Amino acid sequence: MFAWWGRVVVRARWVVLATAGVLVAVGATWGAGVFGGLTGGGFDDPSSESSRTVQRVTAELGRQGADVIVLWSSGTASVDDPEFRDPVTSTVAGLRQRAEVAEVTTWYDTPAPAFVAEDRRATYALVKLTGGDEDARSAQFTALRPALDAPGLRTDVGGLVAFQAEATTQSTEDITRAELLSMPVLLVLLVLIFGGLVAAGTPLLVGGLAILGAFVAVRLVNLVTDVSIFAINVITLIGLGMAVDYALFIVSRFREELAAGHGTAEAIRRTILTAGRTVFVSGLTVALAMASLLIFPQPFLRSMGFGGMAAVLIAMLAALTVLPALLVVLGHRVDAVRVPLPWRRGTRGARRALGDEGGAWARIARSVMRRPALYLVGVAVLLAVLATPFARITFGGVDERVLPADAAPRVVSERIAAEFPGGTIAPIEVLVSGAAADAVRPFADRIAALPGVTGVQVTAAKGESTLLSVSYPGEPTGDDARDLVRTLRDLPGPAGAQVLVGGRPAADVDLLDSLGDRLPWMALLMAGATLLLLFLAFGSVVLPVKAVLMNLLSIGASFGVVVWIFQDGHLAGLLGFTSTGFIEPSNLILMLAVLFGLATDYEVFLLSRVREEWDRTGDNTASVATGLQRTGRIITAAALLLIIVVAGFTTGGMAYIKLIGVGMIVAIVVDATLVRALLVPATMRLLGRWNWWAPAPLARLWARYGLRETDDPADPPTTPDTSASASPVSSPPASALPPAPAAGTRGGSADASGWFTVADAASTPADAPPEPDVDPEPAVDPEADVDPEAAARRTRQRDNARVAE
């Protein structure tokens, strides 16, 4: 299939490029409008008790609670002074005339002590908007915001709608800042890696296509279901990162095939046949890992799943279509506009002389495989130490502290908690339905007598429905508030009445329960998808299981570092965030999906080349050494580039984005160094031929339907196959085989990609004349003298024989 696709791309290159141009135009115009159509929030489970409480309260008593909290304060005047009172009352009178405002409550109307600060130099108003949904209220808030300022007083605006508006604005600014910071650094590193401007520009091209295409896809999804604004962050992060990885792998292999003496069309075919298969498997694996987020009911996580899937799949498609089409047009000109790098001149010849067996990565692999048990134990102990802080993780809900310290919604929340009686703007709400007011009163008294309750008030009543507001000390995201929610839910209500408990603390309890219930299913989906795809790619049941275990080691180390930094507060000043003493659980769920996909991505890159050498030689040790030598530079380069992309996001203002960014950087560093360079060679050396074992029925299944990674399915192995005598189909004579050397054989590789890739630019001088437009068909067809069906049968038989051994 992939060889066929390579020929299709060669023939239809101009159609592919024209289609990509249309996608860019649509993405830059219509797709960019996705920013205005996405919603904020989305952290709650719509079917939870807290969500049902909101729905029942609205249906029985009308919509309760404030959408906007306006805090006015003065450094000198008190709320009783005319210079304070007059501006506030004038502003409130103007608000009540606005069509967007349904209700305004202030201390001057109902002199409740909770509305005035203890020093009497601040007060706040509760504003309820008329909008029927979040989008309508958000638009109303934007129009209303200038009318909230009181002349001569400091005005800070908070509340749920203001928080969502600030989060949307901050997310957009963070994306812009990340792109401005990462793009120039990416370009410089790509130039250093490839040694030329043209080759360096191809990953950025694929990245742009992935981001714009994902914008279009997410906007289409938003027509069917609500998508959170936070999906934009994951689109830029995952889309750009995966696109750079995939483009790096494709371009590097293409240059290697050119250096091996193949024409442009044949080089593209062989590139898609080998690297293209790897990208395809990797893209599906990462996309399925992101798809595991769709099983959660929270729109926030589902939106991340939609965004991540769109970004990864479009990056994969662009790397398998647009990039090869562009490389066909460029040909050897992919090495044009070369940048002279002095350190490359002295090492090119040395690297060519060393070949695959003498390179630095091969030496590392052989060192590890000489003492595999020592390396395995040492690295495992180090990763266990890094993961240790995860054992004391504490979970909590989202609040305004995810915003920068000077953001107005956060200022309002913190000042009310610190300066006002009651100390909270998020009481626990208890709805009693089906009971008269006289029956509710004793129930309210029982609530007031509970430990941790500081007050109970009736905030709304109509017929047999009563809403109670329960106040408590401390933060709404704290353990005490959540324990009180559970106590209230266990408390028997009035006879014949139904009691529902809601509010922000209740929403946090429901969130933790919902995530805990579905987390095992998420893990099962990710692990199952990885086991299936890696089996189809490599024909082994051992390697997929090992890959899952390796992923868990690197992710565990990352989670441990995240707890040490963000929960314990280390490096808070350096990174610019406020430690809450807990971790919001949905962030770790998102990290789990992203990091599991990325870890599998690097695993596929490495094992694809190892499998290729195993098919060629049947030597496990040599295969691992050569595979690491050929992919070590590429994986290191991909990891470095992805770290640059992620690092741009750690400079943003949203604390949860910083957390995800730091966690990803740690996981990438651990995975690309300790795991891939040390643990994988050590375990593969200890397992030996068992690396490639599969039960006979599965081996036959893979031989027939597997996604094989090979230079050319028609090429026989270069070493004798002991199972040949048992094969009912004889091997073809040597004269029937294509004369072109297989890419990846000894002596056929050189170094042409700077530090990290393995094709030699010396094979195509920078001043070589441009290659003319290639023929749709290669001048010499390697399969011309070989029956493809017979070759495929012989390949499957050889693989079955190796598995049986």
Side-chain angles (χ1 to χ4, degrees), residues 43-45 48-50 298 395-398 428 476-487 489 501-517 585:
F43 298 99
D44 299 329
D45 179 356
S48 65
E49 181 173 341
S50 56
Q298 289 78 14
F395 294 112
V398 174
I428 299 173
T477 54
D479 290 337
D480 292 341
R482 293 199 295 270
D483 290 342
L484 182 56
V485 168
R486 296 185 178 96
T487 301
R489 287 178 172 174
V501 179
R504 180 184 291 183
D508 289 346
V509 172
D510 293 335
L511 173 66
L512 292 173
D513 292 344
S514 175
L515 296 181
D517 290 342

Side-chain angles (χ1 to χ4, degrees), residues 456-587:
V456 180
Q457 294 179 345
V458 177
T459 56
K462 182 179 179 181
E464 293 188 340
S465 297
T466 304
L467 182 64
L468 303 176
S469 178
V470 180
S471 57
Y472 51 89
E475 300 174 351
T477 54
D479 290 337
D480 292 341
R482 293 199 295 270
D483 290 342
L484 182 56
V485 168
R486 296 185 178 96
T487 301
L488 290 172
R489 287 178 172 174
D490 293 337
L491 188 68
Q498 181 181 9
V499 178
L500 294 175
V501 179
R504 180 184 291 183
D508 289 346
V509 172
D510 293 335
L511 173 66
L512 292 173
D513 292 344
S514 175
L515 296 181
D517 290 342
R518 289 167 175 79
L519 181 59
W521 293 104
M522 175 193 181
L524 182 62
L525 176 60
M526 289 193 305
T530 300
L531 294 174
L532 175 61
L533 286 173
L534 294 191
F535 166 73
L536 291 176
F538 305 118
S540 165
V541 297
V542 176
L543 289 180
V545 173
K546 182 179 69 68
V548 171
L549 296 177
M550 296 290 181
N551 291 357
L552 295 179
L553 285 175
S554 60
I555 292 172
S558 173
F559 281 4
V561 174
V562 163
V563 170
W564 185 79
I565 294 176
F566 289 91
Q567 178 177 300
D568 299 345
H570 299 98
L571 308 181
L574 178 63
L575 295 175
F577 69 92
T578 300
S579 174
T580 60
F582 57 81
I583 301 294
E584 203 284 318
S586 61
N587 290 331

Side-chain angles (χ1 to χ4, degrees), residues 2 53 110 126 128 163 165 170 213 254 259 275 301 323 364 433 441 446-447 494 544 546 595 619 648 713 723 728 778:
F2 289 94
T53 302
T110 56
L126 303 178
K128 185 187 299 183
F163 169 74
Q170 190 67 51
F254 174 69
L301 288 175
L323 182 57
I364 291 174
S433 301
R441 195 170 296 114
R446 281 190 288 146
I447 292 176
K546 182 179 69 68
L595 296 181
D619 185 331
S723 64

Side-chain angles (χ1 to χ4, degrees), residues 315-340:
M316 178 191 74
L317 291 175
L320 295 178
T321 56
V322 180
L323 182 57
L326 179 62
L327 293 177
V328 173
V329 175
L330 290 173
H332 286 280
R333 287 170 294 185
V334 71
D335 289 323
V337 195
R338 300 198 62 79
V339 177

Side-chain angles (χ1 to χ4, degrees), residues 58 361 400 413 470 671 790:
T58 302
W361 291 102
E400 288 81 359
S413 175
V470 180
D671 200 76

Side-chain angles (χ1 to χ4, degrees), residues 597-658:
L598 289 179
T600 307
D601 177 55
Y602 293 145
E603 183 85 8
V604 170
F605 282 1
L606 173 59
L607 293 183
S608 63
R609 219 53 196 262
V610 174
R611 175 77 211 200
E612 192 174 321
E613 291 302 313
W614 168 258
D615 286 342
R616 190 176 66 86
T617 66
D619 185 331
N620 181 71
T621 301
S623 299
V624 174
T626 303
L628 186 60
Q629 172 63 26
R630 287 176 170 258
T631 60
R633 295 187 181 99
I634 298 176
I635 291 177
T636 303
L640 179 60
L641 293 171
L642 187 55
I643 287 173
I644 296 301
V645 174
V646 174
F649 285 83
T650 62
T651 64
M654 298 292 289
Y656 90 95
I657 291 293
K658 292 178 184 288

Side-chain angles (χ1 to χ4, degrees), residues 127-149:
V127 181
K128 185 187 299 183
L129 303 177
T130 59
D133 55 37
E134 288 185 357
D135 293 339
R137 290 191 287 272
S138 178
Q140 289 177 340
F141 171 73
T142 302
L144 190 66
R145 176 58 187 89
L148 301 177
D149 294 325

